[in-house]
Structures are given as structure tokens and as C-alpha cells.
Amino acid sequence: MDYSEYEKIAPRLREKSLQISRMMGMNDDDALDVAQDVLLKLWQMRHELSRFRSLDALVAVCTRHRAVDLYRRNAHSASLVEVNDELLTDSFTPLAELELAETSRWLHEKIRSLPDKEHMVLMMRQVEKREYGEIARLLGIEETSARVLLARARKKLLQQFNQHSQ
């Protein structure tokens, strides 16, 4: 694919990427960033694009992956489990404070290691306080699937925590 061919299809693919990003709950600025990244990725793949049956489907997959990456990066910058300064009073010994910090780091690591959808559902429900229906709509899944994914994520974390604390 040469530049003139790419230039003809790029506006339509950009709109598709923007639409998917917005459906995933992204604001306009983030959606524009994702769309730009996706178009750049497509341009880098321009010699391989002929092997795909549908460029729209490729854009959808690339957009979802990029949006998840962006979402995870933003979610990790905001702590899921924050140590409340009020908890760290004189009643805690230095050893207890160290154990609390280590447990918090361990939990963050385990949350990050969850499968993509489970991680996203957990973050949307626990951190962002979104309703199941909204989570399902944003991820393009059934509401019952969102509930099942959250239950699986919680169960995995609980099992790992129980093993870790023994």
C-alpha cells in the first residue's frame, strides 16, 4: 500500500477508531490519542495490510488493545489500594508498617497480573464505582459476563492472598 491509497482510507479508519474508543468510555482527548496511535500502527503495517480480510476489524482490535493499554497505565498511576495516612499512627510498629506496605505492593502486582478483561472489570467496578450495566456496555459484553468476570477476579485475588498469608 502506498501513501495515496492509505490517505484515502485513513479518515474512515480514524472515525472507526474514535467511535470504538468513545464506546469504551474514553474522553475525546484520549480517544483522539488512541486513534492517532492506531493509524500510525496501520501505516507501519502498510505492507502487511493486504493479508487481513477486514481493515475495520483490524482497527477495532488495535483500538481496543491501545485503549486497554492506556486505561491500565492510567489506572496504575492511581493507586487501587492506598495506604491511608491516618492508619499509620503510633499504634503501628515499624514492622507492621513494613508488612502493610509489602502487602500493598504484592496486591498491586497480583491485580496487574489478572487477565485483561478481569482486570478492567475489577478496576471499573472497584475503583471507578461503575455499575455492571455500564461496564458491560463499555466492554461490549453481557451484564452477566461482567458480573462473572468480577467474581473470577475477586476469587483469584482471594485465593492468592490466602496462599500468600499462610
Side-chain angles (χ1 to χ4, degrees), residues 3-92:
Y3 182 75
S4 63
E5 292 172 314
Y6 180 79
E7 194 174 36
K8 289 176 186 172
I9 63 168
R12 180 179 59 81
L13 299 177
R14 179 180 180 273
E15 282 305 312
K16 179 79 171 172
S17 181
L18 284 171
Q19 178 186 17
I20 292 168
S21 297
R22 288 181 184 129
M23 284 175 40
M24 292 182 72
M26 301 186 94
N27 63 37
D28 287 339
D29 290 337
D30 287 343
L32 287 169
D33 288 345
V34 167
Q36 182 177 349
D37 290 348
V38 169
L39 287 178
L40 180 60
K41 180 71 173 173
L42 291 176
W43 174 250
Q44 292 169 342
M45 296 173 57
R46 68 186 174 275
H47 300 297
E48 304 168 39
L49 293 179
S50 60
R51 70 184 180 119
F52 295 97
R53 288 188 306 196
S54 169
L55 288 181
D56 287 347
L58 178 62
V59 166
V61 169
C62 289
T63 299
R64 285 189 184 105
H65 286 193
R66 182 65 188 108
V68 167
D69 289 344
L70 184 64
Y71 178 78
R72 278 190 162 178
R73 188 175 315 122
N74 291 342
H76 290 159
S77 65
S79 283
L80 177 62
V81 180
E82 295 180 10
V83 177
N84 189 340
D85 289 336
E86 294 173 14
L87 291 177
L88 300 178
T89 62
D90 293 335
S91 63
F92 277 101

